[in-house]
């Protein structure tokens, strides 16, 4: 267990300093966790009557820092920054705060809050949104009402991958339950429980993909009726939420069995059940009602160059921006489905230290990591190595995304550290980092071969391949 008192002291120091200043640029990461973090601090500053604006970035590369250095007076970096403290100090002196949960570089910078400094694991115990929520709590106790966003951020970063939220996330969840914002339950963790007819629910599931049923409405309908479950009630198509408790059990075990029969690992198959988090104040039919679906909706805007849409939804819009976000959600899901199909058609290569695919321009660099993560459990890969993916960046660099499993992390694998080291060795412009279980970087085109060799060696050494 980490040192909660010291973490609280640090957050208090940051909150007090924020209260003394004004005119803020909030710089947040583009994914669900980053947008939630950006919205939490925005709401908290709004409450204190401070001036602020949000800038969303896909990564804090050195040129990103250079580009924003005259955007405002004071900066608050959320969900990234811990890996760039030295650069930030160089460009912004003491005019910035970093609230993050990624593995940090060595630094004594005072206005920096990060779980790893106090013995908590930022990989699963608290997210960027969670850390920002804790700082917001030191600004004003009314900010407890932002706890639901902190839960959405954690779920967006898949911090519930062990089956439920743990560590500081659990405390934040309790705040959300106490304030009547969230209810937790054990249930099926697939997209569309409320919004999709049963057939589509299975046929269009991407996480996981159901082999033999994917994109096949006929096969999916047959699969459901063979379990003795009616597809329709009168004229209306039934959804998972319309099923009786008995039917839900039959349906869920049918899906688990199907995955196991199709060579999914038992762990991954059973992982479709776990703790789910319902946002009680949201409309019954809205995807925002479920924390995971809320997070996917945010990724649909942030990772596709429309972060203001997701930020507005986090800040409370349920009209114009919400409708916009619903459209982006369809497009995001389409791209994920096509990306998975592309990998299935083109296959993965197996190297000594990792599985690998290079999607070139076929999969956008912003979502290639999500797709890499979705492959775990599928028959294409085993669980014994991490997965690495390359995608082309618009600026000519190659984006690298990597994903591992909990087991590999327990064996000592630390993807964030390995990528950071490899980039340092490659030199100029190669930059990256992240978590033990999921990390990323960018490299130059001509460095791909050398990069892969370095990774093969480093990974094989750590997990004894
Ligand atoms: O930058 P940030 O910390 O917000 O992102 C973490 C990333 O790690 C997310 O894209 C999340 O989906 C991924 N992740 C994963 N598998 C896990 C845990 C996290 O792919 N088990
Ligand atoms: O981009 P992707 O989803 O693969 O990112 C996985 C994790 O690696 C995220 O937590 C992200 O913040 C981190 N990352 C990083 N530096 C990069 C790219 C990704 O720290 N250049
Ligand atoms: Zn995060």
């Amino acid at each position: 267990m980490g040192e909660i008192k010291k973490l609280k002291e640090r957050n208090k120091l940051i909150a007090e300093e924020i209260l003394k200043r004004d005119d803020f640029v909030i710089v947040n990461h583009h994914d669900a966790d980053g947008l939630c973090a950006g919205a939490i601090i925005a709401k908290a500053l709004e409450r204190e009557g401070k001036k602020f604006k949000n800038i969303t970035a896909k990564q804090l590369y050195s040129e990103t820092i250079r580009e924003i250095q005259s955007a405002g007076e004071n900066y608050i970096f959320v969900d990234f920054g811990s890996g760039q403290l030295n650069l930030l100090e160089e460009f912004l002196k003491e005019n910035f705060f970093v609230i993050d949960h990624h593995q940090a570089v060595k630094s004594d910078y005072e206005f920096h809050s990060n779980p790893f400094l106090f013995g908590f694991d930022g990989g699963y115990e608290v997210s960027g949104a969670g850390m920002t929520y804790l700082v917001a709590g030191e600004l004003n106790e009314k900010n407890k009402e932002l706890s639901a966003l902190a839960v959405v951020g954690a779920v967006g970063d898949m911090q519930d991958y062990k089956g439920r939220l743990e560590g500081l996330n659990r405390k934040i969840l309790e705040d959300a339950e106490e304030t009547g914002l969230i209810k937790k339950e054990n249930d099926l963790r697939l997209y569309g429980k409320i919004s999709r007819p049963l057939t589509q629910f299975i046929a269009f599931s991407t996480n996981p993909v159901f082999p033999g049923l994917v994109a096949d409405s006929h096969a999916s309908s047959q699969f459901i009726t063979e379990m003795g479950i009616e597809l329709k009630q009168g004229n209306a198509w039934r959804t998972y939420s319309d099923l009786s408790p008995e039917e839900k059990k039959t349906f869920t075990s049918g899906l688990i069995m199907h995955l196991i029969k199709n060579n999914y690992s038992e762990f991954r198959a059973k992982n479709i059940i776990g703790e789910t988090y319902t946002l009680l104040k949201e409309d019954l039919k809205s995807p925002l009602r479920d924390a995971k679906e809320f997070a996917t909706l945010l990724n649909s805007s942030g990772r596709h160059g429309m972060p203001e849409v997701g930020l507005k939804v986090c800040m409370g819009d349920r009209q114009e921006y919400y409708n916009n976000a619903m459209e982006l959600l369809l497009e995001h899901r389409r791209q994920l489905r096509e990306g998975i199909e592309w990998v299935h058609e083109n296959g993965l290569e197996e190297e000594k230290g990792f599985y690998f695919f290079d999607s070139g321009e076929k999969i956008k660099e912003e979502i290639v990591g999500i797709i890499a993560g979705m492959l775990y459990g599928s028959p294409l890969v085993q669980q014994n190595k991490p997965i690495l993916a390359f995608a082309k960046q618009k600026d000519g660099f190659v984006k690298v995304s990597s994903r591992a499993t909990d087991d590999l992390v327990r064996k000592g694998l630390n993807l964030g550290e390995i990528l950071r080291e490899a980039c340092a060795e490659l030199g100029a412009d190669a930059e990256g980092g992240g978590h033990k279980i999921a990390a990323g970087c960018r490299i130059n085109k001509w460095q791909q071969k050398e990069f892969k060799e370095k990774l093969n060696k480093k990974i094989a050494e750590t997990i004894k391949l």
Side-chain angles (χ1 to χ4, degrees):
M1 194 58 184
E3 300 171 277
I4 189 96
K5 251 178 92 185
K6 287 197 173 153
L7 170 67
K8 200 172 155 60
E9 268 165 33
R10 177 64 62 95
N11 289 343
K12 197 156 180 228
L13 174 92
I14 290 178
E16 281 166 1
E17 191 61 31
I18 288 177
L19 287 175
K20 284 185 208 155
R21 304 190 191 188
D22 203 353
D23 191 4
F24 292 93
V25 180
I26 300 166
V27 190
N28 55 262
H29 196 202
H30 71 166
D31 67 0
D33 184 31
L35 294 183
C36 286
I40 288 172
I41 195 69
K43 278 265 183 195
L45 291 178
E46 191 176 59
R47 196 191 294 285
E48 304 308 324
K50 302 282 183 193
K51 194 172 156 228
F52 66 88
K53 66 174 172 201
N54 285 80
I55 294 182
T56 301
K58 65 180 175 190
Q59 230 0 281
L60 268 190
Y61 294 120
S62 29
E63 69 274 11
T64 322
I65 300 172
R66 238 170 263 135
E67 275 161 30
I68 57 167
Q69 67 175 318
S70 42
E73 190 122 344
N74 292 290
Y75 293 79
I76 307 179
F77 293 88
V78 291
D79 194 32
F80 49 24
S82 291
Q84 293 81 10
L85 288 169
N86 301 328
L87 264 181
L88 290 171
E89 265 193 277
E90 190 184 311
F91 283 100
L92 304 171
K93 309 294 175 241
E94 284 227 315
N95 297 326
F96 72 96
F97 303 86
V98 169
I99 309 168
D100 192 6
H101 71 132
H102 291 88
Q103 301 183 91
V105 290
K106 274 214 166 0
S107 162
D108 293 326
Y109 191 68
E110 210 181 4
F111 304 134
H112 171 220
S113 189
N114 182 305
F116 288 104
L117 298 176
F118 306 101
F120 293 99
D121 189 330
Y124 71 98
E125 289 189 296
V126 65
S127 69
M131 287 301 289
T132 310
Y133 169 74
L134 295 176
V135 173
E138 301 300 329
L139 281 168
N140 195 320
E141 60 180 32
K142 289 195 185 130
N143 289 330
K144 247 193 172 178
E145 69 181 37
L146 303 173
S147 51
L149 280 179
V151 170
V152 172
V155 169
D157 264 11
M158 296 176 64
Q159 298 212 321
D160 57 341
Y161 66 85
K162 292 171 195 262
R164 54 176 242 173
L165 292 172
E166 309 262 6
L168 292 170
N169 279 325
R170 201 93 204 137
K171 294 222 173 314
I172 298 170
L173 173 64
E174 279 164 20
D175 284 356
E177 289 179 299
E178 273 166 27
T179 38
L181 292 170
I182 284 196
K183 181 174 82 174
K184 64 170 193 288
E185 272 166 298
N186 258 319
D187 201 354
L188 193 53
R189 301 198 288 182
L190 294 186
Y191 174 75
K193 279 186 295 196
I194 307 162
S195 56
R196 287 184 167 172
L198 287 170
T199 305
Q200 272 80 21
F201 185 51
I202 296 183
F204 294 117
S205 164
T206 38
N207 200 12
V209 166
F210 293 98
L213 306 177
V214 51
D216 189 339
S217 302
H218 179 73
S220 296
S221 306
Q222 201 177 343
F223 176 79
I224 300 163
T225 37
E226 275 171 11
M227 287 191 277
I229 293 170
E230 296 285 345
L231 291 170
K232 276 183 147 183
Q233 190 153 24
N235 281 330
W237 294 105
R238 299 172 84 198
T239 66
Y240 174 79
S241 62
D242 296 326
L243 302 184
S244 72
E246 227 18 75
E247 285 176 314
K248 279 185 180 164
K249 253 193 215 155
T250 312
F251 185 78
T252 307
S253 12
L255 288 178
I256 295 176
M257 289 304 295
H258 181 81
L259 289 174
I260 293 176
K261 256 193 248 159
N262 282 281
N263 300 324
Y264 269 69
S265 67
E266 190 177 333
F267 173 78
R268 178 64 187 102
K270 290 194 174 151
N271 204 260
I272 63 172
I273 307 176
E275 215 166 71
T276 60
Y277 307 103
T278 305
L279 283 90
L280 298 168
K281 299 260 151 81
E282 300 296 340
D283 204 67
L284 268 178
K285 290 270 177 194
S286 164
L288 303 182
R289 188 136 172 120
D290 178 77
K292 208 163 217 50
E293 299 189 14
F294 195 144
T296 305
L297 177 134
L298 295 178
N299 275 322
S300 313
S301 68
R303 288 183 184 261
H304 298 273
M306 305 282 278
E308 64 287 356
V309 174
L311 280 169
K312 292 271 191 206
V313 171
C314 287
M315 306 276 292
D317 181 282
R318 296 293 177 269
Q319 306 270 320
E320 188 189 342
Y321 289 96
Y322 172 72
N323 292 333
N324 203 336
M326 292 294 285
E327 285 166 26
L328 296 172
L329 182 59
L330 290 179
E331 175 58 19
H332 178 59
R333 295 204 158 274
R334 193 184 62 76
Q335 289 188 21
L336 292 183
R337 208 160 53 233
E338 284 184 5
I340 294 268
E341 278 164 19
W342 186 89
V343 181
H344 276 260
E345 278 161 23
N346 292 274
L348 288 118
E349 289 160 43
E350 185 172 357
E351 303 228 359
K352 187 167 188 337
F354 49 80
Y355 291 98
F356 170 78
F357 66 90
D358 181 352
S359 67
E361 282 171 330
K362 296 288 178 200
I363 301 176
K364 279 179 27 186
E365 57 137 328
E366 290 86 352
I367 59 165
V368 74
I370 301 184
I371 289 171
M374 283 175 170
L375 294 172
Y376 266 125
S378 92
L380 289 182
V381 302
Q382 309 232 310
Q383 319 269 318
N384 62 335
K385 304 177 181 190
I387 301 172
L388 234 74
F390 284 4
K392 208 169 158 193
Q393 287 195 181
K394 282 190 204 81
D395 51 14
F397 285 103
V398 172
K399 161 75 189 288
V400 183
S401 276
S402 64
R403 297 292 188 271
T405 64
D406 193 27
D407 269 349
L408 291 171
V409 169
R410 264 189 267 123
K411 280 189 179 166
L413 185 66
N414 184 341
L415 288 172
E417 196 177 276
I418 287 180
L419 289 199
R420 178 187 299 286
E421 268 174 30
C423 284
E425 289 164 22
L426 290 176
D429 308 330
E431 294 177 22
H435 304 290
K436 293 176 181 169
I437 203 158
C441 68
R442 69 160 187 207
I443 55 174
N444 290 294
K445 268 190 237 153
W446 65 87
Q447 296 173 318
Q448 296 181 56
K449 188 161 169 275
E450 192 185 346
F451 177 81
K452 279 165 79 181
E453 279 163 12
K454 283 185 188 302
L455 256 82
N456 264 320
K457 194 157 172 282
K458 286 177 195 288
I459 295 170
E461 269 167 19
T462 5
I463 54 174
K464 314 261 178 310
L465 286 167

